[in-house]
């Protein structure tokens, strides 16, 4: 059975109906705003996005007492969470993936290369993408002197503490006093309707306040829970995340648990009051139907007050949507799950120096494999350079080269290119020594 989408039907309705307000008659009761169309216009996607912030900020659960627009779309999205056959029939085809509600469905992590276990993941989970964004947005970068062509940032992450599995991720997003704006607007417009004895508009605004408040309280009981698979054997999980798009390399140093939480971690919504969400969804749909049917019975002043309460609430929801949820989720993940690891972030002028710096820091089991994956160049000059670098890394020798090394080049090899490559390696080595001195004191802990 085909059930038409209510917002689509409402969008076809005129924004106002009845006689024009500007006429010679002093009686304006013939003019009636079609607030059903307005309720659909102040739509649902903004309301749904605003509602999802409840799962990150625990205080928002108790601050939803205002007449909010977009109730049908909220009911449509959250109604499928309740596992109700009635709501599945009422809202067919709506995805039930809770990652969609959390805004994580579009986040794809970067490539991961293990340093000791040979693991290679072409694509990781959303929390590696959040860690990458957190590194770019929040960490201070130290410049490593050297040649510059295409700079690459290298972030060293020392995962000192075991991650917190099944962690509930929550953090204050904004001062609770901000929520007083739509609450006061809704209460004020309801009082104004009562003063002028428009009890239809008064009742509908109050009904909207109560329904939205109850919905925020019930839906807000859902917890944003992080989880990851535990490795069968506790082995070092050292490895790297590589993003060619962002020109970023993140070196992960820690246990297998800690690295798994970044590369394979996922999040879900755990609802304690799942049964009551069904009734909230039904109540939200009922609210919209009642408003469509009864608000034309109110006076023009009452209808304007009703629309005014929706407009202020819509602006508040729009402001909530403008908050960078990915940045907040990344910060909560770093603090709540990774338990504030230590970070060091460096900027190296060339890809060669960045990769050599990473190998010196990571000390992988097979540095040649990772070197060839990140720098696949296989000309005679590059092969000689790689052999020289790898031999010194494996034997813990300093990467300092005398000019006499250029005399050992075979005929036809580009002496100028080799000189540049060796200078990149020396810059990476000097940066590595600088990092050792910094890490002996402290890093950036968030």
């Amino acid at each position: 059975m085909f059930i038409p989408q209510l917002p689509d039907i409402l969008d076809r309705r005129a924004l106002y109906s009845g006689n024009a307000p500007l006429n010679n008659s002093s009686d304006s009761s013939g003019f009636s705003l079609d607030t059903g169309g307005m309720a659909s216009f102040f739509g649902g996607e903004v309301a749904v996005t605003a509602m999802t912030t409840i799962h990150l900020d625990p205080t928002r659960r108790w601050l939803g007492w205002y007449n909010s627009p977009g109730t049908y779309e909220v009911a449509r999205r959250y109604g499928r969470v309740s596992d109700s056959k009635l709501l599945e029939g009422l809202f067919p085809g709506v995805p039930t993936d809770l990652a969609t509600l959390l805004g994580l469905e579009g986040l794809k992590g970067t490539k991961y290369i293990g340093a000791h276990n040979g693991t290679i993941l072409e694509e990781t989970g959303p929390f590696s993408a959040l860690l990458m964004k957190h590194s770019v947005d929040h960490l201070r970068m130290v410049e490593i002197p050297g040649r510059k062509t295409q700079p690459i940032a290298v972030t060293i992450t020392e995962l000192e503490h075991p991650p917190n599995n099944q962690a509930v991720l929550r953090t204050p997003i904004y001062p609770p006093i901000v929520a007083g704006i739509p609450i006061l607007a809704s209460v004020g417009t309801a009082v104004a309707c009562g003063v002028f004895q428009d009890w239809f508009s008064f009742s509908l605004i109050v009904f909207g306040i109560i329904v939205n408040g109850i919905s925020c309280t019930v839906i807000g009981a859902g917890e944003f829970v992080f989880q990851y698979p535990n490795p069968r054997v506790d082995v070092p999980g050292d490895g790297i995340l590589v993003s060619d798009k962002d020109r970023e390399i993140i070196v992960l140093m820690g246990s297998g648990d800690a690295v798994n939480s970044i590369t394979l971690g996922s999040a879900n919504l755990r609802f304690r009051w799942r049964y009551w969400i069904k009734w909230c969804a039904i109540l939200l749909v009922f609210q919209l139907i009642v408003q469509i049917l009864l608000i034309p019975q109110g006076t023009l002043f009452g209808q304007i007050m009703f629309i005014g309460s929706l407009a202020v609430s819509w602006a508040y929801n729009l402001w909530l949507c403008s908050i960078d949820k990915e940045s907040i989720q990344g910060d909560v993940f770093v603090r709540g799950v990774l338990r504030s690891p230590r970070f060091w972030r460096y900027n190296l002028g060339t890809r060669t120096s960045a990769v050599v710096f990473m190998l010196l820091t990571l000390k992988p089991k097979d540095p040649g494999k990772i070197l060839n994956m990140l720098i696949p160049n296989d000309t005679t000059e590059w092969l000689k350079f790689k052999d020289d670098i790898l031999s010194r890394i494996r034997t813990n020798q300093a990467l300092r080269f005398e000019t006499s090394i250029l005399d050992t080049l075979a005929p036809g090899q580009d002496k100028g290119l080799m000189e540049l490559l060796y200078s990149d390696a020396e810059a990476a080595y000097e940066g590595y020594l600088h990092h050792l001195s910094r890490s002996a004191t402290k890093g950036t802990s968030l």
Side-chain angles (χ1 to χ4, degrees):
M1 180 180 70
F2 172 73
I3 300 179
Q5 298 298 313
L6 190 55
D8 296 337
I9 296 175
L10 294 176
D11 284 340
R12 302 191 190 107
R13 298 176 60 179
L15 192 60
Y16 64 90
S17 58
N19 299 325
L22 299 177
N23 52 37
N24 295 327
S25 173
S26 60
D27 183 11
S28 62
S29 61
F31 176 74
S32 177
L33 290 173
D34 186 349
T35 49
M38 293 298 294
S40 176
F41 176 77
F42 288 127
E45 289 297 332
V46 171
V48 171
T49 304
M51 182 70 77
T52 58
T53 61
I54 291 179
H55 307 302
L56 282 174
D57 189 345
T59 59
R60 276 218 59 231
R61 177 185 176 190
W62 313 106
L63 300 174
W65 302 96
Y66 55 89
N67 186 28
S68 177
T71 55
Y72 178 84
E73 189 65 25
V74 174
R76 181 171 173 261
R77 293 291 185 90
Y78 280 92
R80 292 295 298 269
V81 175
S82 64
D83 297 327
S84 168
K85 298 298 183 183
L86 171 64
L87 294 177
E88 287 181 6
L90 184 61
F91 307 123
V94 178
T96 57
D97 185 10
L98 295 179
T100 303
L101 294 177
L102 294 172
L104 298 176
E105 78 285 355
L107 285 178
K108 303 297 182 183
T110 58
K111 184 175 183 176
Y112 169 76
I113 303 173
H116 305 293
N117 55 14
T119 300
I120 298 176
L121 302 176
E122 293 296 331
E123 186 178 278
T124 51
F127 286 93
S128 65
L130 292 177
L131 181 63
M132 186 74 70
K133 179 178 175 58
H134 180 86
S135 175
V136 172
D137 293 345
H138 297 290
L139 300 184
R140 183 177 65 88
M141 189 156 53
V142 175
E143 196 77 23
I144 300 298
R147 185 171 67 99
K148 294 188 182 301
T149 54
Q150 294 179 329
I152 292 182
V154 178
T155 300
I156 301 170
T157 306
E158 189 174 298
L159 305 168
E160 302 175 293
H161 308 289
N164 188 1
N165 206 348
Q166 299 296 322
V168 177
L169 306 183
R170 287 193 165 184
T171 185
I173 296 178
Y174 62 90
I177 193 172
V178 180
I181 297 175
I183 294 174
L184 291 176
S186 295
V187 173
T189 52
V191 171
C193 291
V195 169
F196 288 91
Q197 298 185 354
D198 184 347
W199 301 116
F200 278 108
S201 300
F202 169 84
S203 301
L204 290 174
I205 294 174
V206 172
F207 184 52
I209 294 173
I210 295 174
V211 170
N212 193 65
I214 293 174
S215 300
C216 287
T217 302
V218 173
I219 294 175
E223 295 176 330
F224 183 19
V225 181
F226 173 84
Q227 53 196 3
Y228 67 92
N230 292 313
R232 295 181 180 179
V233 182
D234 188 15
V235 296
D238 300 352
I240 58 172
L241 296 171
V242 183
S243 173
D244 291 328
K245 181 185 70 173
D246 298 322
R247 308 197 65 78
E248 290 278 336
I249 297 176
I250 294 183
V251 179
L252 304 175
M253 304 180 68
S255 66
D257 273 0
V259 174
N260 274 2
S261 68
I262 296 172
T263 58
L264 302 175
S266 60
N268 204 349
L269 283 176
R270 185 171 62 198
F271 289 99
R272 290 179 290 174
W273 298 350
R274 186 180 294 266
Y275 172 79
W276 293 104
I277 293 178
K278 173 180 70 174
W279 296 106
C280 283
I282 294 174
L283 197 59
L284 287 167
V285 174
F286 179 69
Q287 173 201 355
L288 180 59
I289 295 174
V290 169
Q291 288 175 344
I292 292 173
L293 295 177
L294 297 186
I295 197 62
Q297 306 302 318
T299 65
L300 175 59
F301 174 80
Q303 294 171 7
I304 292 175
M305 290 296 99
F306 176 78
I307 294 175
S309 67
L310 291 180
V312 174
S313 300
W314 174 79
Y316 171 69
N317 288 343
L318 189 64
W319 175 75
L320 286 176
C321 294
S322 68
I323 297 174
D324 189 351
K325 280 204 304 180
E326 290 184 11
S327 179
I328 295 173
Q329 290 168 344
D331 185 64
V332 172
F333 170 66
V334 169
R335 295 178 185 272
V337 177
L338 301 182
R339 300 167 63 185
S340 299
R342 295 204 296 171
F343 294 95
W344 296 270
R345 182 170 165 80
Y346 302 96
N347 187 45
L348 294 104
T350 68
R351 185 178 184 86
T352 304
S353 58
V355 172
V356 173
F357 176 80
M358 175 272 297
L359 292 175
L360 290 169
T361 305
L362 186 61
K363 294 180 172 57
K365 181 179 180 181
D366 187 357
K369 177 182 178 182
I370 297 179
L371 178 60
N372 288 324
M373 290 180 66
L374 298 182
I375 304 179
N377 307 52
D378 58 357
T379 61
T380 56
E381 292 87 353
W382 276 100
L383 292 177
K384 175 172 174 50
F385 169 73
K386 290 180 181 180
D387 289 339
D388 291 341
I389 293 298
L390 292 174
S391 64
R392 297 200 179 202
I393 290 177
R394 291 184 178 117
T395 57
N396 294 320
Q397 296 183 51
L399 298 187
R400 292 193 175 98
F401 304 93
E402 302 294 337
T403 55
S404 58
I405 195 172
L406 299 176
D407 298 332
T408 63
L409 298 179
Q413 288 186 325
D414 190 339
K415 183 177 179 180
L417 173 60
M418 297 300 293
E419 187 175 1
L420 292 176
L421 295 180
Y422 286 126
S423 68
D424 288 344
E426 288 180 340
Y429 183 69
E430 294 301 325
Y432 170 67
L433 295 179
H434 177 62
H435 167 68
L436 291 181
S437 65
R438 293 185 68 209
S439 60
T441 53
K442 63 177 182 179
T444 303
S445 182
L446 297 177

